[in-house]
Amino acid sequence: MKYIVRKAFWDYEKEEKWLNEMSAKGLALTDYSWCRYVFEETPQNEYTYRIELLENLPTHAESIAYIKFLEESGIEYVASYIRWIYIRRKSSDGVFDIYSDADSKIKHYKRVNTLWSALMWSEFVIGISNIIAGVEDVDKTNIWNSLNYINLFSGIFLVMIGLLFFRLGSPIRKKIRRLQQEKVIIE
């Protein structure tokens, strides 16, 4: 029997943890699209899930080769969304970690941080541009028409969204710093 769950996550590690909790309940992820998870009943804890942000889209030649390598290693590709891939492996095969060393973990966290930073900066730039356009219109017309309000309020809203993306990227930046410090201590 199929189950569809609609749920949104901002933190892929929390999403990954939730997928593994669903597996513990006997529900295996079979498909994903934006905030829509499709599960099927399976034995409890049959799979362990991981989520990874690829360097390129899954249709890119390098990503296709990487996914094929994963499949040859006993890892099953379940779904993708933009550059995120959802993969799983039988829990009976042991611990399932994608990254075996600090360098590969740092590299992945930096990819995720770059995504959050790009979203943050685009929101800031567009938001500030809207605020400036709204203020300049006021100077030209001396009338607070609806376009001025739209520019100002949408600009403020977008800057706030940019701040949200900055906040959401904070745990990733902390993990990068922690891993870099651990790497220096080990070396």
Side-chain angles (χ1 to χ4, degrees), residues 11 13 105-106 109-110 112-113 116-117 166-183:
D11 182 337
E13 290 178 327
K105 286 180 187 177
I106 290 170
Y109 283 134
K110 283 185 175 182
V112 174
N113 185 53
W116 285 121
S117 295
F166 177 78
R167 174 66 182 104
L168 291 171
S170 179
I172 297 295
R173 290 187 298 277
K174 286 179 184 175
K175 288 176 185 176
I176 291 169
R177 284 191 299 274
R178 182 181 47 81
L179 284 168
Q180 288 172 333
Q181 289 169 349
E182 289 174 7
K183 184 180 166 193

Side-chain angles (χ1 to χ4, degrees), residues 1-5 27 30-31 36-41:
M1 181 173 199
K2 287 190 176 189
Y3 297 94
I4 296 174
V5 178
L27 295 172
T30 58
D31 195 21
R36 182 180 176 269
Y37 300 84
V38 179
F39 294 94
E40 286 184 354
E41 291 180 1

